Amino acid sequence: MMIKKSLHCPACGSADFLADVGATWDVERQEFVVVTNFDICTCNTCATDFDKPEERILAEEGTNN
Ligand SMILES: [Zn+2]
């Protein structure tokens, strides 16, 4: 069973925020890859800037074993 976690704004609890990350173009993969962890997040709901999102553990859904 896979444990998932969600990240939330510590101010309002919204999961709708943007992480400011550093990415570089990977020629082999033909896509941007993140090379640095996020430093600053900005909430799309309350516009708060924060550096550490609140983590919540989610139970895996969809299996009834
Ligand atoms: Zn917020």
Side-chain angles (χ1 to χ4, degrees):
M1 183 166 123
M2 187 175 173
I3 302 297
K4 292 181 180 176
K5 67 182 179 183
S6 60
L7 299 178
H8 298 265
C9 168
C12 72
S14 172
D16 182 17
F17 64 86
L18 292 177
D20 185 9
V21 299
T24 187
W25 182 254
D26 188 318
V27 175
E28 297 302 321
R29 292 167 60 175
Q30 289 294 291
E31 63 185 16
F32 282 105
V33 293
V34 175
V35 293
T36 59
N37 288 327
F38 50 80
D39 295 319
I40 295 293
C41 298
T42 303
C43 182
N44 285 330
T45 301
C46 70
T48 297
D49 291 331
F50 53 94
D51 61 3
K52 195 167 178 33
E54 177 185 316
E55 291 189 8
R56 296 181 190 174
I57 302 300
L58 301 174
E60 180 75 359
E61 294 180 8
T63 55
N64 291 319
N65 292 325

